[in-house]
Amino acid sequence: GRYHTMCWTRGESELQRRVLRSSGLESYFEQIIVVPNKTAVTILEHLLPAAVDGQFAIVGDSHDQDIVPLKGLATVRVWISGSKANQHHPKPDVDSDVIVLQSVGDLLSLIR
């Protein structure tokens, strides 16, 4: 099937877009949503209105900021556990419905 792809990221807009461009991931997204903080308010005001048909998958490297807040909202939650973002955090208790992958490369090999 065909899916609408969005990147929901935290930070300064132009910096985040440069990071996506340099990573080679920018072309995978039809929409890029940059918010100053990932909170319940930014989920309601920026992310959920952009979700097509109300269904979406979240792929994130921050368990606490990307995966946990979208429990019950995202149709699919994928946590990239091997990201540098997780190097200094203890392994969290992960819900049984979360797909855990080591790297973005693992995700790309699944969708290609």
Side-chain angles (χ1 to χ4, degrees), residues 58-68 76-83 85-87 89-95 97-104 106-107:
I58 184 75
V59 178
D61 63 356
S62 171
H63 184 264
D64 292 343
Q65 290 189 27
D66 297 326
I67 305 305
V68 172
V76 176
R77 297 182 295 158
V78 179
W79 179 42
I80 307 298
S81 65
S83 165
N86 298 306
Q87 287 178 337
H89 299 284
K91 184 166 173 31
D93 291 329
V94 180
D95 292 334
D97 67 305
V98 174
I99 299 166
V100 180
L101 298 176
Q102 183 64 27
S103 70
V104 171
D106 293 341
L107 175 67

Side-chain angles (χ1 to χ4, degrees), residues 5-20:
T5 57
M6 300 182 301
C7 175
W8 180 52
T9 185
R10 176 180 58 88
E12 192 276 317
S13 185
E14 190 48 43
L15 173 63
Q16 293 303 91
R17 289 172 189 277
R18 277 198 308 269
V19 168
L20 278 173

Side-chain angles (χ1 to χ4, degrees), residues 6 42-52:
M6 300 182 301
T42 58
I43 289 170
L44 291 172
E45 289 182 356
H46 299 281
L47 182 62
L48 293 183
V52 176

